[in-house]
Amino acid sequence: MACSVRTNRHGYLCFRLYFDGLESHEGTALKDTKENRPKVERRAQIITDEMEEGTFDYLRWFPEGNLATRFRGREGTGRPAPVRIITVRGFFVRWGSASL
């Protein structure tokens, strides 16, 4: 589990998250400058520390993030969003019928 900082193709800083078997890229509104990078790297270290301690709360850090709906669940129900799991066989059955 970790959080690192990278620059996207537009020159903005973003967080790269690995936790609970998930990977996510969360953008910032900050350009990659010598002033902004240390700020974002400090936040990334705090996020990494929280992940290691088991206290990381994705929605607190990224309420509108790429995985927010997964953690927020269905709007208004309080229940987690359903996770659709497909088996290898199911994938090939669907893939095979789609190519016909």
Side-chain angles (χ1 to χ4, degrees), residues 19-85:
F19 66 103
D20 294 339
L22 300 171
E23 178 180 353
S24 182
H25 299 264
E26 304 298 338
T28 71
L30 300 173
K31 284 282 198 180
D32 189 3
T33 65
K34 65 180 182 177
E35 295 84 20
N36 290 336
R37 184 168 275 274
K39 293 177 195 177
V40 175
E41 287 178 346
R42 282 192 300 271
R43 290 181 192 158
Q45 185 58 53
I46 293 168
I47 291 170
T48 297
D49 293 343
E50 287 183 7
M51 288 176 176
E52 291 172 357
E53 294 165 2
T55 60
F56 175 66
D57 180 1
Y58 177 88
L59 290 175
R60 183 174 68 82
W61 283 95
F62 307 104
E64 301 299 322
N66 295 322
L67 300 176
T69 55
R70 174 182 220 135
F71 289 97
R72 190 175 297 120
R74 294 183 200 161
E75 292 299 320
T77 65
R79 289 181 277 157
V83 177
R84 188 140 195 249
I85 299 173

Side-chain angles (χ1 to χ4, degrees), residues 75-96:
E75 292 299 320
T77 65
R79 289 181 277 157
V83 177
R84 188 140 195 249
I85 299 173
I86 186 167
T87 63
V88 173
R89 176 179 289 177
F91 171 79
F92 282 105
V93 167
R94 183 177 296 157
W95 177 68

